Amino acid sequence: MKPIRVLLADDQQLLRTGFKMVLGTEADLNIVGEAADGVEAVEMSRRLLPDVVLMDVRMPRQDGVAATREIVAQKLPVRVLILTTFDLDDYVVGALRAGASGFLAKDVPAEELVAAIRTVAAGDAVVAPRILRRLLDRFADLLPDPNASPPTRISTLTDREREVLVQVAKGLSNAEIAQALMVSETTVKTHVGHMLTKLGLRDRVQAVVLAYETGLVRPGSP
């Protein structure tokens, strides 16, 4: 298998060095570059096309949220994994809305960092829906007015797909959704796949964010 190509984006050289030491011991991971700010992160993502960018939030010239948004807008085949402080940056929700595939605390254990990179490179997200929901509840004031008209693309979903979207946003796994809807887990996976495709979303993380934005799920709802 081809090694996973990783770009490090952090304004602190010491942290980049630490990440390199950890990731350099993994045979399937290859550090292809280092960026010291968001502008460099975007430029190097465009030039190097890494599989995953480990993106710090607070950087000079351009922060990680803006850099993530630009990478996604350019439709680069690059996935972004946001790095944040232990107490959660207020920018995290914005980063996820911008198209990040998830986030990690900077003090995450090495084995979790490595596993997260592999997960993101494989096309999945690394934020558990329940954790993301708590984040969105906490930062609900950063989201658009839930009473606003929902995007027209939501109307493309079938009733069942919309129901699955709500269950995903509530933090249920495929197995739990299957039990709640009294269908097979395979059926749920099919509905989730169709829902993501119709909405133009990369993963379940973006589905949860969209469910909040459209008011399908409200902060603090059961």
Side-chain angles (χ1 to χ4, degrees), residues 96-212:
L96 293 173
R97 289 176 58 201
S101 296
F103 79 95
L104 290 176
K106 283 190 173 182
D107 62 350
V108 66
E111 61 272 16
E112 291 186 23
L113 173 62
V114 171
I117 292 173
R118 290 171 178 154
T119 297
V120 168
D124 292 324
V126 297
V127 182
R130 285 184 177 86
I131 296 175
L132 178 59
R133 188 181 181 197
R134 287 200 296 271
L135 274 172
L136 291 170
D137 283 345
R138 176 177 173 183
F139 300 127
D141 58 323
L142 301 179
L143 296 172
D145 181 1
N147 295 316
S149 299
T152 54
R153 56 180 173 163
I154 289 293
S155 64
T156 65
L157 299 180
T158 65
D159 290 342
R160 179 62 88 181
E161 289 164 353
R162 184 187 294 245
E163 191 174 8
V164 168
L165 172 58
V166 170
Q167 298 301 317
V168 167
K170 290 182 177 179
L172 273 63
S173 66
N174 285 348
E176 291 169 331
I177 296 174
Q179 184 177 12
L181 301 182
M182 293 183 291
V183 297
S184 71
E185 190 171 347
T186 299
T187 298
V188 172
K189 290 180 180 179
T190 299
H191 286 316
V192 170
H194 289 167
M195 177 263 293
L196 294 177
T197 298
K198 286 183 178 180
L199 297 178
L201 305 175
R202 288 189 176 189
D203 49 45
R204 294 168 76 100
V205 170
Q206 291 189 341
V208 176
V209 174
L210 183 65
Y212 269 71

